[in-house]
Amino acid sequence: MLPTGVHFETYAGEARILKTRRATAWLGLLILGLVILPQAVGPYTVGVFTHMFITLMAVYGLYVTVGLGGQINIAQSAFVGVGAFATAKLSGYGLPFWAVIPMAALITGAVSVIFALPAAKVKGFYLALTTLAAQVMFPIVIFALPMDWLGGLVGMAVEPVRLGPITLGSPVHFYYFTLVLVGLLTVAAFNLPRTRFGRSLMAVRDNDVVAEVMGVPVFRTKVMAFFAGSLFAGVAGACTAYFLQFVTVESFTLFASVWYLGMLIVGGAASPVGAILGVVFITAVQEGLHSAATVMLQSGAAGGGMLFALTSIVLGGCILVALIFEPRGLAHRWSVIRTAFQLWPFPRN
């Protein structure tokens, strides 16, 4: 739905993602706010936003696999871990970050294809079990390999990001580094449904039998859904490795995969806006509860430790509420509100 009085005379104008000057202006203000944010907040908040950017990269991958392709994936954290360990290994050879990150993404995509091949033959519950096998096998494989390969139980150190003679070691520097990367991935996520591959994903998601009759290669499309989603996970894993400066399997658990999927459910799997809203909402609730618990503990009030323990329960409740009352996610609710605003002053009926 377009704002009242807005119309297009060409298909190119109608196909734009930002269809009005007002939308472009709001996006510009958002980017400006994110650029000047580190100058207005402390290091802790900068770290929270950096972690949120990295999480959004991983959830974008789930949007591609689950939202566009309709393929359930509860092993996204394992794929993020593959990207992180690949980054740690490649950075140890002295490769620059601009070579390491694409290579880590491709390695992650190649590993995902191993599990996508059997997963493309099944649906529903069996598909979930297939991806769960990838999550379970990830730490087993890391521990089974020789320690000098991927660190085993100990883990691996990661060389810091260097831009020429400059080392991006401060939280502010790494904030801008992840901001640029998440901006590039955001452009990719928003434009993917407009491509031939994106339309193939949506056709297979809606009805794979009809899609095959229409000439869409269903098996290849399902495999490529995992591959494309894992490319995003590989970039997120590379950023995680550079951010933590040390990687171990304990950072990439099934619990993290569930939260990635939960963020997409809360935000809405139908559009990349849902990934953004879900990550922002869950992060805001989590940090709000942690801040409240910290204040309670520092003031000596009772219940601070319990509030910390109840954080996961509250976040799980948010997912249940979203599934019951808004199964299409916050993105749908935002679309309803925006449509009502754009149609003003005319009634919606």
Side-chain angles (χ1 to χ4, degrees):
M1 187 65 66
L2 294 174
T4 303
V6 176
H7 65 280
F8 299 100
E9 297 179 354
T10 63
Y11 175 76
E14 189 174 1
R16 289 199 305 262
I17 295 176
L18 300 175
K19 294 181 171 59
T20 63
R21 294 180 179 178
R22 182 170 59 191
T24 304
W26 278 113
L27 178 61
L29 289 175
L30 175 62
I31 295 174
L32 179 62
L34 292 175
V35 169
I36 65 176
L37 178 71
Q39 314 304 324
V41 298
Y44 177 79
T45 305
V46 170
V48 170
F49 271 83
T50 301
H51 183 264
M52 186 170 65
F53 293 156
I54 297 173
T55 302
L56 181 57
M57 298 176 195
V59 178
Y60 274 150
L62 278 181
Y63 158 69
V64 175
T65 305
V66 180
L68 287 180
Q71 307 300 301
I72 301 174
N73 180 10
I74 53 176
Q76 190 72 345
S77 179
F79 295 138
V80 173
V82 171
F85 275 92
T87 299
K89 191 67 175 180
L90 293 172
S91 66
Y93 294 136
L95 296 176
F97 76 90
W98 50 264
V100 169
I101 293 178
M103 292 174 67
L106 290 174
I107 291 172
T108 306
V111 171
S112 73
V113 170
I114 298 174
F115 297 94
L117 290 175
K121 291 292 187 178
V122 295
K123 297 180 181 179
F125 175 73
Y126 300 101
L127 177 59
L129 288 180
T130 303
T131 58
L132 178 62
Q135 182 67 57
V136 173
M137 288 178 62
F138 169 69
I140 297 175
V141 172
I142 297 295
F143 293 153
L145 291 174
M147 186 170 294
D148 58 342
W149 284 23
L150 295 176
L153 290 168
V154 178
M156 298 182 68
V158 183
E159 295 294 325
V161 179
R162 290 187 175 87
L163 190 59
I166 303 174
T167 299
L168 304 183
S170 70
V172 174
H173 289 164
F174 202 78
Y175 169 89
Y176 287 120
F177 177 73
T178 53
L179 177 61
V180 172
L181 286 179
V182 79
L184 294 175
L185 294 187
T186 298
V187 173
F190 272 89
N191 282 280
L192 184 60
R194 298 147 54 92
T195 65
R196 182 175 181 176
F197 172 60
R199 292 191 291 270
S200 298
L201 287 176
M202 291 185 286
V204 172
R205 175 198 63 191
D206 294 339
N207 194 316
D208 56 354
V209 176
V210 174
E212 190 168 17
V213 172
M214 295 176 64
V216 177
V218 174
F219 179 78
R220 187 177 69 184
T221 301
K222 289 182 177 181
V223 172
M224 289 301 296
F226 278 93
F227 178 80
S230 296
L231 292 180
F232 288 85
V235 178
C239 292
T240 301
Y242 283 128
F243 182 57
L244 299 177
Q245 294 288 285
F246 198 87
V247 293
T248 61
V249 293
E250 284 78 11
S251 301
F252 311 102
T253 61
L254 176 62
F255 188 75
S257 291
V258 171
W259 282 123
Y260 288 149
L261 190 58
M263 290 175 181
L264 188 66
I265 292 172
V266 171
S271 73
V273 175
I276 297 172
L277 294 178
V279 171
V280 172
F281 177 80
I282 294 297
T283 303
V285 172
Q286 184 177 31
E287 292 300 322
L289 292 173
H290 287 176
S291 298
T294 301
V295 171
M296 293 173 65
L297 290 173
Q298 291 177 348
S299 62
M306 182 178 295
L307 188 57
F308 265 117
L310 291 176
T311 299
S312 296
I313 298 177
V314 174
L315 294 178
C318 292
I319 297 176
L320 290 177
V321 170
L323 288 172
I324 295 172
F325 296 102
E326 191 55 85
R328 286 183 286 183
L330 295 174
H332 174 255
R333 185 52 46 193
W334 164 248
S335 178
V336 171
I337 296 173
R338 186 184 61 184
T339 300
F341 175 76
Q342 290 176 341
L343 286 178
W344 185 88
F346 302 103
R348 282 179 292 179
N349 57 358

